[in-house]
Amino acid sequence: MTLLKRSNSASDLYVCKVLYRRDRLYSRRTKKPLTIVLGREARMESPLIPQEIREKTKYCFECGVCTASCPMAELLSPQYNPRSVLQQILEDPDRALKSEGLWLCAWCYKCYKRCPQGLKLPEILHTAKQEVAKRGFDASFEKAVSIIEKHIPFPILCWYTCFHPERTGIPNDKIVAMKEKLAGRPKKGKKPTNRQGRAAIIGSGPAGLTAACQLAERGYPVTLFEALPKIGGMLRKSMPAYRLPRKELDNEIQLLKDLGVEIRTSTEVGKDIKFDELWRCGYKVVFVAVGAHTSLKLGIEGEDLDGVIDALNFLWTAKESAKVDITERVGVIGGGNVAIDAARTALRHKAKEVVILYRRSLNEMTANPWEIGEAEKEGVRIEFQVAPKKILKKDGKVAGLECFRVELGELDETGRKRPVPIEGSEFSLQLGTVIVAIGERTETSFLPNEVERDRSNRILVNPVTMETSMTRVFAGGDAVTGPASVIEAILAGKRAAGFMEKYLNETGEREDAHLAS
Amino acid sequence: MPILPADPEITEEARIGVYVCHCGLNIAGTVNCEEVAEFAATLPHVVVAKDHRYTCSDQGQELIKNDIKNSDLNRIVVASCSPRLHELTFRKTCEEAGLNKYLFEMANIREHCSWVHHHDKEAATEKAKDLVRAAVAKATLLESEIETVVPINRKALVIGGGVAGIQAALDLADTGYKVFVVEKQPSIGGRMAQIDKTFPTMDCSICILAPKMSDVGHHPNIELYTNSEVQEVKGYIGNFTVKVLKKPRYITDECSACNDCSEACPIAAPNEFDVGLATRKAIFTPFAQAVPSTYIIDRDLCLNEEGIMTCDKCIEACERQAIDFDMKPETIELQVGTIVVATGAEVSDPTRFTNYGYTRYPNVITSLEFERLINAGGPSSGNLVRPSDMKIPKTVAFIQCVGSRSKKGNPYCSNVCCMNTVKDSLLIKEHWPDVKIYVFYLDMRAFGKGFEDLYRRAKEAGVMFIRGLPAEVVEDPKTHNLWVIGENTLQKEIYKINLDLVILSVGIEPCKDSDAIQRLFTLSRTSDGFFMEAHPKLKPVDAPTGGVFLAGCAESPKDIKDSVTQASAAAARAGILMAQGKVTVEAITPKPILENCRICGMCAQVCPYNAIVVDKEAKSVQVIDAACAGCGTCGAECQFEALHMRHFTDNQIRSQIDALTEEDADTKIIAFCCNWCAYAGADFAGVSRIQYPPNVRIIRTMCSGRVSSTFIEHAFARGAGAVLVAGCHPGDCHYIDANYQTQRRVERLWKKMARLDVDTDRLQLLWASAAEGERIATKIREMQSVLAKLKPEGVEKATKAFEGR
């Protein structure tokens, strides 16, 4: 049998002359794999993007769920679209590696949690970024930094908590230069508060800070209420100093003070000042961004023993006072960034031996991959597919933890495999301290009943305006979403600020009209 | 060394013809077929060895027939595709040339070789040679057999009374066969009865179904058992004995369906037929057109418990005294020749997709709930109202692919949802032209006859089709309207649309009791959970079990037209069997060799079918051919080689092992695969072109239970690097539970190996279904590490330890 001869078949790449093998085209002559791009141009398989990444991206059906879930896509709309970045990696790797889109992922994993195909976008992009760093295409990085500087509130905080460009292998001098560029960005000084309508913002985490900043910049008088003695919310409370230097946080907060925002620390709304009093104090609009601070309980025997602490409190005391009450052998239960933070912080204190117990596998962990790697390097042991059964007691204190092994069953609603206990797999660990980091819920009992909340106490809001079921009350951040990332909180703050302004304008006009008549 | 029984009656000397098929380039593209044929010619007893482009073609078959006559061949070996595909074809060829069909053997060099070793032509060619060598070795020992003829009972059983079951039953009954229909629900009708209109013609669903339902109820050849379940199935093709549990309705035949009882009943509960949107009483009829047209009492709801009467309102209300609380469940035994499985499917539950808020937000409903709302006979009398305030919505959205085409739901496309949505959107437009409709889709699949026209009509009516699935649906706490947020991927824009009602276009899932059905009929299921057909192209309605046929959504998601088509096909296939009135049973049952037998009774103990009768006093062993299915686990259990497993004899299998271990045995994996799951799974790996290392050699047995420990020991004695025994998943065995014997034997051998200090990793056991090609390939890849760490001393040790086995 002979193949059709074409007069111009000199090209080895002519489609007629390639063998089809599963999902790849091979050259008939050289027996090497080919890539046909857009059906016209053919060339050798691009070595730029590692094969494993390309393999994964193939299964994207472009449903757009990632982009629609992505807080960065909304903050930067229409400059950033994770779906197209991913597709570009497959279709045109050369361009993809040179695009700034790679650098705009904020590691919130929201896309992964919703992706119907379970693609871990942040990690796919991370590998691509590492490739870029290796090849020195850092122009795209610089471009991304200027986009971040322009459009993202508190860019330097996001640098530390969200973007982590230093983890990609970009040369250090570049990182330092870019960081300085961000720190030295033109600051907005005090704006005259020339607009009508005072805004109260409850909670000074990233959502509250963003909303306060945005409203103050537009000339509204803003008061920020914070229950703790210092502002910063979760950023200050749980983020260890080695991940977010305190100096940087203070610097950014100073900007807020410079804008003229009134800050009332150690003032817990509901306790020091009743929620209803806010209206009497003349606030026209309230933004509730109280976060999620109540640690979830394990619901197992021995949880009230001396020696069981929740991760947030532990991280907070570790930061505030040099002394924490832990023993040499510490177990941390959970698999998120907070668990890793707690484990690493414990090692920086008295702990000699720290073990993290996680009920799923490495693949399902939503902690940043380098955090896991560094924790392991520092000597933290991670036990996968293990769940606690009861906390063992000796002299009224924690003596150990009885656990059982689990196997991973079908996918649950978060797209991760559901752990199923293996019978008879119980074993115990000798521990003096158990740190619980399995998530937090929000505490919103100070709110009036008109503000609707769901079963887990999260505040229900209109997702576009962030308005709650009670007029004049807006909400955002972890209090609405449950524990989530910094960038999601910033987006909520930004969204809310926009619509609070709109609301204030409209009521202002109404009042003006009322007065005029 | 035990004395091997001489294979009886090998009188003539074997004259073997070997035909190596190119299968176009399917085999020849990877395997050097000429070389294989040349090699075959050098094997003992081989008289003719040829390669041919398409051996299964008329020319190819003619060639074989001529050679049988001209060269006086008495054994034929064809090296081509899987015996599961063409063994029948070539057996027929042999018969036509006057050769007994059991003197034919196949070497599978396509599914098990060329398709799975694309990238290593040399190794593939070597493997093909080995497989031919084994086939020739077995062929030398083949014997002629005479098949038993079994009569077929000319009655059929249809399980499931949905549209597929109804169609199959009517077709069979009209042909003149007696049909039993078993339906779990109180009425037949299935899903189709719940739907308002059908696409693409927009016919009223119940209007076209109800006459058929009534036909089933009145057909003289059909016996209908509703509210009944199949409990037990025994027997084999043509002669099934089925036990049906007929649950009591507590209503006698006197019932005139007047509804007086229902009105009197004080207990109400959500109505399953209206997907919980309306209520029914504890005494009820599922829907107006129900067949049989009678009532039923839901005893879980009824206040009257067993023997304690606390409420007699219905009894008082019933003038005809048709209520009888003393009715008991009955077990009915049916004798049937063929079975049609039409158990249907379920709609997938979208609650797990928390981002769409189903059950959290009242105005998010499923497409099935929509069908009941838009149906004039439904709870809202055909008014599409949104549950939160019972008002007609002004803006409606459909979200496609909920639970389909996703790793988090079902990976497959559910086939009907796209067109169902198009139809639904048109229905809304028909009733309320001003309603604004959005359809959020991933791909619109309008592939059938008239489908594209309907899609066009929807576009014409102004339905907005937006490409890009919503990331989330969030309720506005003030208005209970829904914000749908997603990306319009064609516009590269994020949309946030405020809607009154969101309809989740949910997919189709296998029935929850598919597991039970699968066990009852020893069927296979694909990885998606639907029943697997015997061949995806050529036997699309035959189940792998003889005499069982599949119809409707039990086999895969499909629309009404396809279900009806498939049901008619299944009825025709069942009809063919019953028209013939008899079927031959493969001559693979055992024959006792009394001189070796010690009457220990082990064979009878392990037989899953009780087909061996051992009389210790009379010192007799008898095999009941009609009851025996030929799994061979008795033969594997017999220590004294006193059972001659026809067509899979000890000697034949040993000769295959010998042939496969003749060269470089220590680099090879000898795999024993059962015909139904593991061998079929390996075929599936081939069909899917899943690549795996070429050093595995598969030997086919009917069941993994046929694999005697002596075979495995023999392989090790011959120096085989590793042995894999693969069968159906526990509980899925096609011979009831014969694979438990396999597990027991392998475990015992592991212990023995450990005792003899032989690496136990060299013997592996794998359960893999016919759809799990990847699982088999993965196992073979994993086993490479066992071979890699294997040292010559290790091989020698095993050879010595098992010598003489």
Side-chain angles (χ1 to χ4, degrees), chain A residues 7-41:
Chain A
S7 54
N8 60 348
S9 64
S11 161
D12 171 46
L13 307 174
Y14 200 71
V15 182
C16 235
K17 300 199 75 182
V18 293
L19 280 170
Y20 180 69
R21 283 277 183 271
R22 197 159 161 73
D23 50 5
R24 218 183 279 169
L25 294 168
Y26 284 78
S27 157
R28 199 151 249 237
R29 192 166 59 81
T30 63
K31 308 284 185 280
K32 284 196 176 139
L34 301 171
T35 308
I36 305 290
V37 175
L38 301 172
R40 272 178 272 122
E41 194 190 324

Coordinates of all heavy atoms in Angstrom, one line a residue, chain A residues 7-41:
Chain A
S7 N 2.7 16.7 -4.8 CA 3.9 17.3 -5.5 C 4.7 18.1 -4.5 O 5.9 18.1 -4.6 CB 3.4 18.2 -6.6 OG 2.5 19.1 -6.1
N8 N 4.1 18.7 -3.5 CA 4.8 19.5 -2.6 C 5.0 18.8 -1.3 O 5.0 19.5 -0.2 CB 4.2 20.9 -2.4 CG 2.8 20.7 -1.9 OD1 2.2 19.6 -1.9 ND2 2.2 21.8 -1.4
S9 N 5.1 17.5 -1.3 CA 5.1 16.8 0.0 C 6.5 16.8 0.6 O 6.8 16.0 1.4 CB 4.6 15.4 -0.1 OG 5.4 14.7 -1.0
A10 N 7.4 17.7 0.1 CA 8.7 17.7 0.6 C 8.7 17.9 2.1 O 9.5 17.4 2.9 CB 9.5 18.8 -0.1
S11 N 7.7 18.7 2.6 CA 7.7 19.0 4.0 C 7.3 17.8 4.8 O 6.3 17.1 4.5 CB 6.6 20.1 4.2 OG 6.3 20.1 5.6
D12 N 8.1 17.5 5.7 CA 7.9 16.4 6.6 C 6.7 16.5 7.4 O 6.1 15.6 8.0 CB 9.2 16.2 7.5 CG 9.0 15.2 8.6 OD1 8.5 14.1 8.2 OD2 9.3 15.5 9.7
L13 N 6.2 17.8 7.5 CA 5.1 18.1 8.5 C 3.8 18.1 7.8 O 2.8 18.4 8.4 CB 5.4 19.5 9.1 CG 6.8 19.6 9.6 CD1 7.0 21.1 10.1 CD2 7.0 18.7 10.8
Y14 N 3.7 17.7 6.6 CA 2.4 17.7 5.9 C 1.5 16.8 6.6 O 1.8 15.6 6.9 CB 2.6 17.4 4.4 CG 1.5 17.8 3.6 CD1 1.3 19.2 3.3 CD2 0.5 16.9 3.1 CE1 0.2 19.6 2.6 CE2 -0.5 17.3 2.4 CZ -0.7 18.7 2.1 OH -1.8 19.1 1.4
V15 N 0.3 17.3 6.8 CA -0.7 16.5 7.6 C -0.9 15.1 7.1 O -1.1 14.1 7.8 CB -2.0 17.3 7.8 CG1 -3.0 16.5 8.7 CG2 -1.7 18.6 8.4
C16 N -1.0 15.0 5.7 CA -1.2 13.7 5.1 C -0.2 12.7 5.5 O -0.5 11.5 5.4 CB -1.2 13.9 3.6 SG -2.6 13.4 2.8
K17 N 0.9 13.1 5.8 CA 2.0 12.2 6.1 C 2.3 11.9 7.5 O 3.4 11.5 7.9 CB 3.3 12.7 5.3 CG 3.1 12.9 3.8 CD 4.4 12.9 3.1 CE 5.0 11.5 3.1 NZ 6.3 11.5 2.4
V18 N 1.4 12.3 8.4 CA 1.7 12.0 9.8 C 0.8 10.8 10.2 O -0.3 10.6 9.8 CB 1.5 13.2 10.7 CG1 2.5 14.2 10.4 CG2 0.1 13.8 10.5
L19 N 1.4 10.1 11.1 CA 0.6 9.0 11.7 C -0.1 9.5 12.9 O 0.4 10.3 13.7 CB 1.6 7.9 12.2 CG 2.2 7.0 11.1 CD1 3.3 6.2 11.8 CD2 1.1 6.0 10.6
Y20 N -1.3 8.9 13.0 CA -2.1 9.3 14.2 C -1.9 8.3 15.3 O -2.1 7.1 15.1 CB -3.6 9.4 13.8 CG -4.4 9.8 14.9 CD1 -4.4 11.1 15.4 CD2 -5.3 8.9 15.5 CE1 -5.2 11.4 16.5 CE2 -6.0 9.2 16.6 CZ -6.0 10.5 17.1 OH -6.7 10.9 18.2
R21 N -1.5 8.8 16.4 CA -1.3 7.9 17.6 C -2.0 8.5 18.8 O -1.5 9.4 19.4 CB 0.2 7.8 17.9 CG 1.0 7.0 17.0 CD 0.9 5.5 17.4 NE 1.7 4.7 16.5 CZ 1.3 4.2 15.4 NH1 0.1 4.4 14.9 NH2 2.1 3.4 14.6
R22 N -3.0 7.9 19.1 CA -3.8 8.3 20.3 C -4.1 9.8 20.3 O -5.0 10.2 19.6 CB -3.0 7.8 21.6 CG -3.9 7.9 22.8 CD -3.4 7.0 23.9 NE -4.0 7.3 25.1 CZ -5.2 7.0 25.5 NH1 -5.9 6.3 24.7 NH2 -5.7 7.3 26.7
D23 N -3.3 10.6 21.0 CA -3.7 12.0 21.0 C -2.5 12.8 20.5 O -2.4 14.0 20.8 CB -4.1 12.4 22.4 CG -3.0 12.0 23.4 OD1 -2.0 11.4 23.0 OD2 -3.3 12.2 24.6
R24 N -1.6 12.2 19.9 CA -0.5 13.0 19.4 C -0.2 12.6 18.0 O -0.5 11.5 17.5 CB 0.7 12.6 20.3 CG 1.6 13.8 20.6 CD 2.8 13.3 21.3 NE 2.5 13.1 22.7 CZ 3.3 12.5 23.5 NH1 4.5 12.0 23.1 NH2 3.1 12.4 24.8
L25 N 0.4 13.5 17.2 CA 0.7 13.2 15.9 C 2.2 13.0 15.8 O 3.0 13.7 16.4 CB 0.4 14.4 15.0 CG -1.1 14.7 14.9 CD1 -1.4 16.0 14.2 CD2 -1.8 13.6 14.1
Y26 N 2.6 12.0 15.0 CA 4.0 11.6 14.9 C 4.4 11.9 13.4 O 3.6 11.6 12.5 CB 4.2 10.2 15.2 CG 4.2 9.9 16.7 CD1 3.0 9.8 17.3 CD2 5.4 9.8 17.4 CE1 3.0 9.6 18.7 CE2 5.4 9.6 18.7 CZ 4.2 9.5 19.4 OH 4.2 9.3 20.7
S27 N 5.6 12.3 13.3 CA 6.1 12.5 11.9 C 6.3 11.1 11.4 O 6.9 10.2 12.0 CB 7.4 13.3 11.9 OG 8.1 13.0 10.8
R28 N 5.9 10.9 10.1 CA 6.1 9.6 9.5 C 7.6 9.3 9.3 O 8.1 8.2 9.3 CB 5.4 9.5 8.2 CG 5.1 8.1 7.8 CD 3.9 8.1 6.9 NE 2.9 7.3 7.7 CZ 2.3 6.2 7.2 NH1 2.6 5.8 6.0 NH2 1.4 5.6 8.0
R29 N 8.3 10.4 9.0 CA 9.7 10.2 8.6 C 10.6 10.1 9.9 O 11.4 9.2 10.0 CB 10.2 11.3 7.7 CG 11.5 11.0 7.0 CD 11.8 12.0 5.8 NE 11.7 13.4 6.3 CZ 12.7 14.0 6.8 NH1 13.9 13.4 7.1 NH2 12.6 15.3 7.2
T30 N 10.5 11.1 10.7 CA 11.4 11.2 11.8 C 10.9 10.5 13.1 O 11.6 10.3 14.0 CB 11.6 12.7 12.3 OG1 10.3 13.2 12.7 CG2 12.1 13.5 11.1
K31 N 9.6 10.0 13.0 CA 9.0 9.3 14.1 C 9.0 10.2 15.4 O 8.9 9.6 16.5 CB 9.8 8.0 14.4 CG 10.0 7.1 13.3 CD 8.7 6.4 12.9 CE 8.9 5.4 11.8 NZ 9.0 6.1 10.5
K32 N 9.1 11.5 15.2 CA 9.0 12.3 16.4 C 7.7 12.9 16.5 O 7.0 13.2 15.5 CB 10.1 13.4 16.3 CG 11.5 12.8 16.6 CD 12.5 13.9 16.9 CE 13.8 13.3 17.3 NZ 14.9 14.0 16.7
P33 N 7.3 13.3 17.8 CA 5.9 13.8 17.9 C 5.8 15.3 17.4 O 6.8 16.0 17.4 CB 5.7 13.8 19.4 CG 7.0 13.7 20.0 CD 7.9 13.1 19.0
L34 N 4.7 15.6 16.9 CA 4.4 16.9 16.3 C 3.3 17.6 17.0 O 2.4 16.9 17.6 CB 4.0 16.8 14.8 CG 4.9 16.1 13.9 CD1 4.1 15.9 12.6 CD2 6.1 16.9 13.6
T35 N 3.2 18.9 16.9 CA 2.0 19.5 17.3 C 1.5 20.3 16.2 O 2.2 21.0 15.5 CB 2.4 20.5 18.5 OG1 3.1 19.8 19.5 CG2 1.1 21.1 19.1
I36 N 0.2 20.2 15.9 CA -0.4 21.0 14.9 C -1.1 22.1 15.5 O -2.0 21.9 16.4 CB -1.4 20.1 14.1 CG1 -0.8 18.9 13.5 CG2 -2.0 20.9 12.9 CD1 0.2 19.1 12.5
V37 N -0.7 23.3 15.2 CA -1.4 24.5 15.8 C -2.4 25.1 14.9 O -2.0 25.4 13.8 CB -0.3 25.5 16.3 CG1 -1.0 26.7 16.8 CG2 0.6 24.9 17.3
L38 N -3.6 25.2 15.3 CA -4.7 25.8 14.6 C -4.8 25.2 13.2 O -5.3 25.8 12.3 CB -4.5 27.3 14.5 CG -4.4 28.0 15.8 CD1 -3.9 29.4 15.6 CD2 -5.7 28.0 16.5
G39 N -4.3 24.0 13.0 CA -4.5 23.3 11.7 C -3.7 23.8 10.6 O -3.7 23.3 9.5
R40 N -3.0 24.9 10.8 CA -2.2 25.4 9.7 C -0.7 25.2 9.9 O -0.1 24.7 9.0 CB -2.5 26.9 9.6 CG -3.7 27.3 8.7 CD -3.9 28.7 8.7 NE -4.8 29.1 9.8 CZ -4.4 30.0 10.8 NH1 -3.2 30.6 10.7 NH2 -5.2 30.3 11.8
E41 N -0.3 25.6 11.0 CA 1.1 25.7 11.2 C 1.5 24.5 12.0 O 0.8 24.1 13.0 CB 1.3 26.9 12.1 CG 2.7 27.4 12.2 CD 2.7 28.5 13.3 OE1 1.7 29.3 13.4 OE2 3.7 28.6 14.0

